[in-house]
Amino acid sequence: MGARRCSGCLSCLLIPLALWSIIVNILLYFPNGQTSYASSHKLSNYVWYFEGICFSGIMMLIVAAALLILERDTPYKCCQSENCSKKYVSLLSIVFSVLGIAFSGYCLVISALGLVQGPYCRTLNGWEYVFEDTAGSFLSDPSTWSQCLEPAHIVEWNIILFSILITLSGLQVTIALIKVIIELSKILCTTYSVIIQPGII
């Protein structure tokens, strides 16, 4: 019973994380609240991968909904025996949890690449990825951020939002991985109890 409650709480946590991912990804399209840069495609190319909106957002909401439905107290009669039905439900939960790891993992990787690449901004030489060849070293050297003249404070904007996306998707990966471990333990424990029961009798 405690394991079911813990598992249900983990699934519920995926919902606010997914909603925040959508919000943060949307903010990346509007530096300083301005829409002109998005309409003129003057944003980092990794912003257009929809990692937070689609994968860590909408897809994770679907995964969370599926997991919550599977964790309801309503019994599933997919097999003749109750143990078989429970294993089937646990197997489905593992499948959805693995999909969750894939979706949030995609967001994690793309956000990390966007963070390391740096923003697309206007410099004295025109619009370019001025930090693309620095391998992310610019992140610890704020004195170089002034090279980006427009949008204003775009470096800080990208660093903060991509970092938040990395954190959110990282938490989603962790939760989904814990879900896999919990469901695997349910399957293995049920199998073990069925094996040892005839010996006890």
Side-chain angles (χ1 to χ4, degrees):
M1 189 68 175
R4 180 182 295 180
R5 287 180 180 177
C6 176
S7 184
C9 289
L10 289 174
S11 300
C12 288
L13 281 175
L14 291 174
I15 295 175
L17 291 175
L19 293 175
W20 274 110
S21 294
I22 293 173
I23 293 171
V24 172
N25 198 165
I26 290 174
L27 288 174
L28 278 168
Y29 292 99
F30 308 109
N32 303 316
Q34 300 180 29
T35 61
S36 58
Y37 300 108
S39 59
S40 59
H41 297 281
K42 292 179 178 177
L43 298 173
S44 169
N45 56 352
Y46 285 112
V47 174
W48 301 102
Y49 280 67
F50 303 104
E51 62 272 20
I53 295 175
C54 184
F55 292 91
S56 191
I58 296 173
M59 299 308 294
M60 286 303 295
L61 285 175
I62 295 173
V63 168
L67 291 173
L68 287 171
I69 290 172
L70 290 171
E71 287 158 6
R72 291 186 307 180
D73 291 331
T74 305
Y76 294 89
K77 298 296 183 182
C78 55
C79 304
Q80 291 184 351
S81 68
E82 185 179 351
N83 283 336
C84 176
S85 296
K86 287 181 178 179
K87 285 182 183 179
Y88 183 74
V89 170
S90 292
L91 184 60
L92 284 177
S93 295
I94 290 173
V95 171
F96 280 108
S97 296
V98 170
L99 285 174
I101 292 173
F103 294 143
S104 53
Y106 172 85
C107 179
L108 179 62
V109 171
I110 295 300
S111 298
L113 290 174
L115 181 65
V116 171
Q117 182 190 50
Y120 183 66
C121 62
R122 184 177 65 82
T123 66
L124 292 175
N125 299 320
W127 288 88
E128 60 179 334
Y129 290 100
V130 66
F131 304 114
E132 191 172 21
D133 298 324
T134 65
S137 62
F138 75 96
L139 296 170
S140 58
D141 188 8
S143 63
T144 62
W145 299 355
S146 59
Q147 295 180 60
C148 279
L149 305 176
E150 186 186 358
H153 308 293
I154 186 61
V155 180
E156 295 93 321
W157 186 265
N158 271 27
I159 289 176
I160 291 172
L161 295 181
F162 273 127
S163 297
I164 293 174
L165 272 181
I166 290 171
T167 303
L168 293 172
S169 56
L171 288 171
Q172 289 176 336
V173 169
T174 303
I175 290 172
L177 185 59
I178 293 173
K179 287 281 299 176
V180 171
I181 295 171
I182 290 174
E183 297 303 328
L184 277 176
S185 67
K186 287 181 183 178
I187 293 176
L188 294 176
C189 288
T190 304
T191 304
Y192 180 70
S193 64
V194 170
I195 291 173
I196 65 172
Q197 191 172 1
I200 295 176
I201 295 173

